Amino acid sequence: MKKWLFAAGLGLAMAASASVQAAESIAVVNMGNLFQQVAQSTGVSKTLENEFKGRASELQNMEGDLQSKMQKLQRDGSTMKAADRSKAEKDLMAQRQQFQTKAQAFEQDRQRRSNEERGKLVTRIQSAVKKVADDKGIDVVLDANTVAYAGSSVKDITSDVLKQVK
């Protein structure tokens, strides 16, 4: 009986030791912070802004023109001939439809390109996380934003990953 209790106690001690060792190979990284810092340092938002600047300007001009025509129609509509007013309303509706179509296409293209650039950044960050984890002998890396609690033995490798990405 004593041998059995001793063996059980030894087994529990080994299991506790293994869980402590496993905890040493766990780290956290703040993915949101990394993504934001890498995006700023690489100038992704400026690149996208420059890429779509021309189309955005064109849409702003179209919108301004559309608003001025609407105001003119509201101001002068009551004094216009019925045929002229009808033609102006049809032109205005056609121009509004054209504007909405272009604006929707612009937004879809901008969103697609934004997603492409985000994907590239995420891939770079994930590669850097893997490299740092491999270099430091870390088995598990968790996003710091999804961890409810991490003791002092859990390493935060965010700064190491940021250095690796840059």
Side-chain angles (χ1 to χ4, degrees):
M1 183 74 143
K2 276 186 171 183
K3 288 183 181 180
W4 185 79
L5 285 175
F6 178 73
L10 185 61
L12 284 173
M14 291 175 74
S17 173
S19 69
V20 168
Q21 288 175 348
E24 289 178 4
S25 64
I26 295 176
V28 293
V29 65
N30 189 330
M31 292 296 284
N33 188 8
L34 275 173
F35 186 81
Q36 191 174 37
Q37 289 186 24
V38 171
Q40 285 176 354
S41 69
T42 58
V44 170
S45 58
K46 288 286 186 192
T47 302
L48 290 175
E49 185 180 315
N50 290 337
E51 186 174 327
F52 288 98
K53 189 186 307 182
R55 287 175 64 188
S57 169
E58 177 187 354
L59 284 171
Q60 286 175 341
N61 291 339
M62 282 182 74
E63 184 178 30
D65 186 44
L66 189 61
Q67 287 177 350
S68 67
K69 286 182 178 181
M70 286 174 64
Q71 289 171 354
K72 182 180 179 192
L73 182 62
Q74 286 176 349
R75 185 182 63 237
D76 300 338
S78 60
T79 60
M80 296 173 83
K81 294 180 186 176
D84 291 340
R85 186 175 63 242
S86 177
K87 182 181 181 310
E89 287 172 349
K90 285 181 183 177
D91 289 344
L92 192 60
M93 288 176 62
Q95 188 175 359
R96 181 183 298 156
Q97 182 62 37
Q98 182 183 18
F99 171 76
Q100 288 174 343
T101 302
K102 282 188 174 190
Q104 187 177 22
F106 170 78
E107 190 59 35
Q108 288 173 349
D109 289 347
R110 194 176 60 77
Q111 188 65 39
R112 179 188 50 79
R113 280 289 294 131
S114 178
N115 288 340
E116 286 174 7
E117 292 299 322
R118 285 178 190 240
K120 290 177 187 177
L121 287 178
V122 167
T123 301
R124 283 180 60 193
I125 291 170
Q126 287 175 337
S127 296
V129 168
K130 182 175 179 352
K131 173 121 176 60
V132 169
D134 288 345
D135 291 348
K136 293 187 176 275
I138 298 169
D139 295 323
V140 178
V141 179
L142 302 171
D143 185 355
N145 296 320
T146 61
V147 175
Y149 172 77
S152 61
S153 65
V154 176
K155 300 172 191 168
D156 185 348
I157 60 170
T158 304
S159 61
D160 296 328
V161 173
L162 186 59
K163 290 175 190 172
Q164 181 67 37
V165 172
K166 290 182 178 182

